[in-house]
Amino acid sequence: MTTKDELLKLFEANKGIYYNGEQIAAKLGVSRNAIWKAVTALREAGYPIESQKNRGYCMSPDSDIVSAQGISKYLTAELNIEVYDEVVSTNTMLKERASSGAPEGLVIIANSQTGGKGRLGRSFYSPLDTGVYISVLLRPSTLPPQKALKITTMAAVAASEAVDIVSDKDSKIKWVNDIFLDGLKVAGILTEASVSMENGNLEYAVLGIGFNVYEPKNGFPDEIKGIAGSILRKPSADAKNRIAAEFLNRFYSFWKEGEGSDYYREYKQRSLVIGKKVNVISPNSSVKATVLDITDDCSLLVRYEDGTVSELSTGEVSIRPEV
Ligand code: BTN
């Protein structure tokens, strides 16, 4: 770890507490000049570090900047986290790392994405500082591709629970991968996978999730106005680090429990669509149906207007609630 990283760890773990240059230098085993340089670098990176004569330096208790050190305060899952200011897409970056052999548990987090990807070839609006964009590398030993839906549904439950903790409200899951709060989409999930040619199982999967924590400075773009929303209305200390950690803790625990996990009960309870009328959308059609239930493997049971009942799994279709 660099002196800057070590200093950030100290400040994140002790927000609001003053340390003088000499104390910090002794703690980190470096010179006072090195501390001064590290403080300057952290300030340049946007960290609100206050200084007072005779008291030294302290990080403002209100700060809310995503960092591995900030997340680690809340993280219990054994994951290896890397944080970047701007990437094209955390999913794309992690897939590249996966192809060159990175192990399960590598997590790439960005403060902004220039080419954030959504489902069905759409883009995912990922502006700087108001959201958190996360990708997690998974290397299932025996998961057949048709079970990959589990990764998305586990993530949806984990995300919905994390949103509730930070917002103190009740979020809902719109099958299959959207998290809604107060009627607006506040998080979306995109799972991408590589299949082994040898045994047909998943070689690796990259789970990507984007949280809209705050309203973007200039509002959401016209295309998603009235559809996208934010988890919080006003700045809240550590909200972004907290939401990332609460999500990762929950998701990784479901993932490790595997078949033994009963996350799907929670998935069903949080569903926005059970009992609702929806349009079932596939590339060439849109058909009206009523959602009857969600099965134990999170497929959607629907009844079409002609009375036929069908079980839908993602990839084939998406649904849009009827208005
Ligand atoms: C959707 O709502 O259609 C899915 C959105 C998924 C967005 C996340 S943000 C982190 C990861 N990197 C990406 O490029 N996409 C996913």
Side-chain angles (χ1 to χ4, degrees), residues 88-92 113 115-120 122-124 126 132-135 177-178 185 187-190 192 207-211:
V88 176
S89 151
T90 54
N91 267 27
T92 305
Q113 299 183 113
K117 295 190 293 180
R119 279 184 70 226
L120 309 170
R122 299 194 190 110
S123 62
F124 187 76
S126 314
V132 192
Y133 315 105
I134 305 174
S135 294
N177 67 330
D178 291 339
K185 174 171 165 175
I189 299 163
L190 172 68
E192 298 184 86
L207 160 73
I209 179 157
F211 291 98

Side-chain angles (χ1 to χ4, degrees), residues 290-306:
T290 303
V291 177
L292 301 177
D293 203 356
I294 290 179
T295 67
D296 290 358
D297 51 11
C298 297
S299 295
L300 200 70
L301 211 58
V302 297
R303 187 175 47 230
Y304 293 107
E305 288 186 324
D306 67 3

Side-chain angles (χ1 to χ4, degrees), residues 46-107:
Y47 285 94
I49 296 171
E50 293 155 15
S51 57
Q52 274 188 20
K53 222 174 168 198
N54 304 324
R55 294 183 78 192
Y57 304 106
C58 109
M59 183 141 94
S60 159
D62 310 327
S63 69
D64 183 23
I65 298 182
V66 179
S67 66
Q69 291 84 343
I71 292 171
S72 73
K73 291 186 289 182
Y74 306 103
L75 194 72
T76 50
E78 273 193 40
L79 295 163
N80 174 19
I81 294 178
E82 294 181 8
V83 177
Y84 298 88
D85 255 359
E86 182 181 282
V87 302
V88 176
S89 151
T90 54
N91 267 27
T92 305
M93 188 170 176
L94 194 53
K95 280 197 291 180
E96 282 161 17
R97 297 281 290 275
S99 305
S100 19
E104 163 150 324
L106 176 60
V107 177

Side-chain angles (χ1 to χ4, degrees), residues 230-297:
S230 59
I231 297 165
L232 294 171
R233 300 251 173 281
K234 48 182 186 355
S236 166
D238 262 356
K240 287 185 275 174
N241 285 320
R242 182 99 198 270
I243 203 153
E246 298 290 357
F247 164 74
L248 290 168
N249 289 340
R250 283 171 174 73
F251 170 74
Y252 210 54
S253 139
F254 293 146
W255 175 247
K256 285 284 174 200
E257 280 172 45
E259 293 296 326
S261 166
D262 64 355
Y263 74 93
Y264 64 85
R265 270 187 243 284
E266 202 51 44
Y267 187 93
K268 204 164 142 167
Q269 265 183 359
R270 288 170 179 268
S271 168
L272 194 64
V273 295
I274 294 181
K276 298 257 168 68
K277 292 204 159 135
V278 296
N279 287 312
V280 177
I281 301 173
S282 52
N284 303 316
S285 67
S286 168
V287 188
K288 286 187 192 336
T290 303
V291 177
L292 301 177
D293 203 356
I294 290 179
T295 67
D296 290 358
D297 51 11

Side-chain angles (χ1 to χ4, degrees), residues 119 149 152-153 156 173-178 189 267 298 314:
R119 279 184 70 226
L149 175 60
T152 301
T153 49
I173 301 171
K174 182 185 148 251
W175 187 86
V176 58
N177 67 330
D178 291 339
I189 299 163
Y267 187 93
C298 297
T314 186

